[in-house]
């Protein structure tokens, strides 16, 4: 199938990677050539990592790379698409505008999916003339490694669209769970609650951020603590999600001041080298603000 991935940030590049490995032809689109190139380079590096870890062969890596092209033209990206997956920033208006353009430029029967972490898929879908072909495909970060995809069924999603999504998720060897379109789905709602409370606890001085994370790793057997997870997924992305959940579900999702402070300082986590922790080459090397 032809897959168009819109946005080559943290998520788009992983979605393109797994789609190409799944045998699909992939076009990635971003707004500037430099961003497209960065995305393609990172996909190559990640595929190379897969070869080094003996997850894939060199031939599989090369075949996958041959199946991916990049462009800044939305038209070029979607004109032959069977499936369009949107992975642009978590802003409702931006996604709705993009869907309007996709509606004009993509084939009428293409399935159009959003990778939103929390926004209303039903509202995004409503911008399409035929919104029955829309649903959420919620990947997890890093998308080329994490095995889960939440299939988010909007109010308008048809059974045919849902079956198409099931087949696609199977083709890329991920595990699907099906969730109805309620704010934060199953994952972001629970995940945000963990991270919110952990940051509030750090703010109140209950324990250090390292000890709070260690508690959840060792006491609850999580692979990563809830504050480290915020750095990993992006302070900005988490703040946007929490603000949306607060609006939709109430004050229990109010973002803590400490998170806002990190955001205002441009300390967005792993991607900027500093958030709650200090990062080097994708690893934690210290705690932000400590010598
Ligand atoms: N980061 C995560 O952990 C995570 C996990 C699951 C889902 N998501 C969701 O995935 C989406 C993308 O998140 P991300 O972390 O990859 O963001 P990101 O900021 O890393 O990447 C977004 C990319 O989209 C590009 N972009 C902006 N407008 C565009 C347009 N009109 N057309 C094409 N590209 C455009 C930006 O230039 C950027 O490269 C968001 O909805 C987010 O909530 C994120």
């Amino acid at each position: 199938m032809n897959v168009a991935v819109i946005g080559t940030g943290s998520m788009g590049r992983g979605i393109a990677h797994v789609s190409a490995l799944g045998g699909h032809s992939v076009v990635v689109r971003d707004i500037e050539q430099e961003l497209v190139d960065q995305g393609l380079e990172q996909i190559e590096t990640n595929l190379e990592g897969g070869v080094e870890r003996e997850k894939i062969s060199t031939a599989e890596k090369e075949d996958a790379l041959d199946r991916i092209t990049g462009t800044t033209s939305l038209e070029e990206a979607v004109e032959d698409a069977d499936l369009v997956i949107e992975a642009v920033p978590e802003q409702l208006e931006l996604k709705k505008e993009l869907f309007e353009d996709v509606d004009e430029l993509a084939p009428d029967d293409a399935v159009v999916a959003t990778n939103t972490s929390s926004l209303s898929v039903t509202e995004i879908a409503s911008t399409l003339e035929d919104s029955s072909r829309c649903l959420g495909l919620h990947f997890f970060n890093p998308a080329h490694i994490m095995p889960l995809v939440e299939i988010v069924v909007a109010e308008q999603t048809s059974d045919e669209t849902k079956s198409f999504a099931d087949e696609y998720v199977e083709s890329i060897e991920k595990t699907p769970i099906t969730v109805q379109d309620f704010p934060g789905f199953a994952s972001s709602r629970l995940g945000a609650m963990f991270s919110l409370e952990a940051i509030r606890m750090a703010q109140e001085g209950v324990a250090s951020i390292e000890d709070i994370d260690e508690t959840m790793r060792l006491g609850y057997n999580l692979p990563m603590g809830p504050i480290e997870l915020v750095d990993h997924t992006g302070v900005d992305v988490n703040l946007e999600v929490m603000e949306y959940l607060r609006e939709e579900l109430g004050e229990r999702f109010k973002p803590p001041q400490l998170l806002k402070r990190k955001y205002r300082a441009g300390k967005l986590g792993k991607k900027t080298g500093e958030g709650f922790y200090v990062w080097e080459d994708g690893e934690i090397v210290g705690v932000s603000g400590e010598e």
Side-chain angles (χ1 to χ4, degrees), residues 9-11 29-30 35 88-90 95 115 117 139 141 233:
S10 315
M11 297 307 293
R29 189 257 172 165
D30 212 302
L35 295 168
V88 304
E90 189 75 340
K95 288 184 193 281
N115 183 48
S117 305
F139 288 78
N141 191 5
T233 50

Side-chain angles (χ1 to χ4, degrees), residues 8-76:
T8 57
S10 315
M11 297 307 293
R13 53 189 71 168
I15 297 168
H17 173 142
V18 293
S19 298
L21 272 184
H24 305 299
S25 291
V26 182
V27 188
V28 292
R29 189 257 172 165
D30 212 302
I31 43 181
E32 285 170 23
Q33 191 58 44
E34 199 186 333
L35 295 168
V36 174
D37 293 342
Q38 275 170 15
L40 291 172
E41 270 168 38
Q42 189 64 48
I43 293 170
E44 185 166 359
T45 305
N46 291 345
L47 282 164
E48 188 53 49
V51 173
E52 280 161 19
R53 291 195 313 279
E54 297 181 5
K55 299 278 181 201
I56 55 169
S57 67
T58 304
E60 283 170 323
K61 177 194 100 173
E62 296 298 337
D63 286 349
L65 283 174
D66 286 346
R67 282 194 282 269
I68 307 179
T69 53
T71 179
T72 53
S73 154
L74 184 62
E75 183 171 4
E76 216 176 281

